[in-house]
Amino acid sequence: MGFDSSLTNRFRDSLSCDNKPDFKELDLNSPVSPLMAARPSVNCNGATTTSSSSSSSSGSVSGKPSSKKHHHSGELSASSETSPSRSAPAVRNIKPGHRRSVSAGPPLIYAGGSFSNGGGGGGRSGGASSGNSATSSSSSSLSSSASSSAANLFPSGNICPSGKILKAGMGSRAASKTDVLGSGTGNYGHGNIMRGGGVREGNSGGKSASSDPEEVKKAGNECYRRGNFAEALAMYDRAISLSPENAAYRSNRAAALTALGRLGEAVRECEEAVRLEPSYGRAHQRLASLYLRFGQVENARCHLCFPGQQPDQSEVQKLKSLEKHLKQCADARKLGDWKGVLRESDVALATGAESSPQLFACKAEALLKLHQLEDAELCLSNIHKLEDYPSSCLQTKFLGMVVEAYVLFVRAQVDMALGRFENAVAAAEKAGLIDYSNLEVARTLNNVKMVARARSRGNDLFSSGRFAEACSAYGEGLEHDSSNSVLYCNRAVCWSKLGVWEKSVEDCNRALKIQPNYIKALLLRAVSNARLDRWAEAVRDYEVLRRERPGDSEVAESLHRAQVALKKSCGEGVHNKKFDGEVEEVSSLDKFKAAILSPCVSVVHFKAASNELCEEISPFINMLCVRYPSVKFFKVDVEESVAVAKAESIRTVPTFKIYKNGDKLKEMIRPNHQFLEESVRNCTL
């Protein structure tokens, strides 16, 4: 083949890349990019091998797999998962040589050194030793005829100007391999051989077109060390697609999934790795760590103390601590010590089992028994969909129940307590199907069904106006679940319809003891107490409701009426305090003295219509009047009520004074909003 301009162009194209050296700087006295000297290393099985920076972990430039069956070179180690690090690069031994200008034409032959494989160095054909000058080889080829064959021009092992590698016996035929010069990107230096024509895009996670699974895995490992876990996962997926039976690829994929928080999938990958290679220690270690996070003591022990491997002592200590707290948790539950259950489940979660569905369910059950319903529901929200957990975690036993059934068992009770009867029945039925032989599950399923049936019957009777019968129906439900605040509140409504206000208050009290912030029960109790002329109790409940629902005009009006009735019942004079949230204005000294003598907390705002600060703070005082309904707010215009201003020695506005029973508790001059509200709140405590 003649060396015309098209060959020159092809050669230049083969070297084009963003970070290539200038052509004038090419060193023709050494290989284009000499391979590093092979250095010994120890694989995970303890065998000593040699490796090169450009050769793959399988060890062969030509792409042949290593003869060792279980050589997991490139497998992510425990240290690489937590604190990625790099090894120091080997020192290159590059001899200086002559340089030539690109104007002289492309070099015809690059005489390379021997290309080392993973198991040691080997000489190239043609007699040139590694690192020797290519000058003689180049000049002999230059004198050859343009029509000579490639075999005569390029000895076996040399790199042709086209970028391909001529191998023995290939002179008279086209090369069957597509090995090319590296472009200097990825894990390959400029000029190094890349098997299969694979192209690397950068060395921070670029996608690989290589068909060699070991090379793809190495690219994934580099992504992992850089923290690009999603890209690493994609690389491991490709490696697995190329070699599905490789346990190391499965284990590495599990590491990436763990870093991404997909623990259930990580467990399944480790289990597959162990199935493929039962003695694979690294997969057993990963599996033990994952099982600990799921709170699976026995499963974790099985893999942590696998025969033939030394267990991690920190993991062993974590396992022992978790086992101890789980036992104490179970003992406290048997005794009905729900505070103890809550304490031990919290400690177990903090020990390292932070992804354990059964421990979150156990904590939720304790919170439910302690009448902290909202906290119990929030705790259950930490449990992912059960489908996301591996079956090996869901099918073990916890507190005598299958884990999956126990989670549903607790969820059914929380749903029932919060009035979600249909959801409760569905969860209990599913738990019964999973763990049909467990007596606790069977008893809860029966109770849930009976309570749901009684509630449905009571609602139907109430809707038809048969309130006495509805009371009986709700009572039947309470026989099966004596801690159901919804049934107590429903029965209280029936008592109020029948005019039995005392029983209505009693049932509201029971409901609020179970669920303290139950708004419906609180409102009904306030109404019932008002009907019984218990104005102090009614005002107290309405004040709580006013804080919970500041925009509810009905609650505000009911509170106002209850306050007026309370004052009348105590023989106090009723001031014309407007209901719409406006502060009452005091213009005379007599009215001022009467206002501050009240047993309630009174806040007086001394102001002047012409003062901008007073006008600016007035809307905030109106808001405080709504926010703190038990506090009386007054305003005094010092320009119109000179006698009051003189009696109180007011020299600066705005000034605020807080009184109770005629005693001054606090005085503030030009306070900011936050300080003023804190002062009002502190005086009411």
Side-chain angles (χ1 to χ4, degrees), residues 407-446:
V407 172
L408 293 165
F409 163 84
V410 175
R411 193 183 297 278
Q413 294 179 74
V414 172
D415 282 339
M416 180 64 69
L418 292 170
R420 298 192 289 256
F421 294 89
E422 291 78 11
N423 292 350
V425 171
E429 286 179 339
K430 191 171 181 181
L433 290 173
I434 294 169
D435 199 353
Y436 53 86
S437 62
N438 187 274
L439 294 178
E440 264 196 286
V441 172
R443 185 166 56 251
T444 297
L445 174 58
N446 180 66

Side-chain angles (χ1 to χ4, degrees), residues 645-684:
K646 186 177 180 181
E648 291 298 305
S649 303
I650 302 300
R651 294 182 177 84
T652 305
V653 291
T655 293
F656 293 87
K657 294 187 179 185
I658 303 178
Y659 300 88
K660 186 174 183 181
N661 292 320
D663 296 326
K664 184 172 70 175
L665 303 179
K666 195 173 186 68
E667 180 175 350
M668 296 162 282
I669 298 174
R670 295 182 176 178
N672 59 40
H673 291 190
Q674 182 181 355
F675 181 68
L676 177 58
E677 182 170 8
E678 286 177 356
S679 300
V680 172
R681 182 170 57 248
N682 291 338
C683 288
T684 60

Side-chain angles (χ1 to χ4, degrees), residues 67 71 96 190 192 249 266 290 300 332 349 352 394 406 428 446 459 527 529 549 591:
S67 60
H71 182 88
H190 182 78
N192 284 343
Y249 303 164
L290 286 165
L349 286 165
L394 295 177
Y406 177 66
N446 180 66
N459 287 357
V527 170
N529 276 321
R549 298 184 174 183
K591 285 187 177 181

Side-chain angles (χ1 to χ4, degrees), residues 547-569:
R547 287 195 293 270
E548 293 292 325
R549 298 184 174 183
D552 192 323
S553 59
E554 244 181 86
V555 170
E557 188 174 354
S558 297
L559 173 60
H560 178 69
R561 286 197 297 266
Q563 286 173 331
V564 170
L566 177 60
K567 290 174 185 176
K568 286 181 178 179
S569 68

Side-chain angles (χ1 to χ4, degrees), residues 373-374 418 485-486 489 492-493 508 511-528 540-550 552 555:
L373 299 187
E374 290 182 358
L418 292 170
S485 58
V486 175
C489 189
V493 174
C508 286
L512 288 165
K513 186 177 180 181
I514 298 166
Q515 192 175 349
N517 59 347
Y518 196 171
I519 296 298
K520 183 179 176 182
L522 196 63
L523 181 58
L524 183 56
R525 187 172 71 177
V527 170
S528 300
R540 185 171 57 246
D541 285 343
Y542 279 129
E543 285 179 344
V544 174
L545 289 163
R546 187 73 170 126
R547 287 195 293 270
E548 293 292 325
R549 298 184 174 183
D552 192 323
V555 170

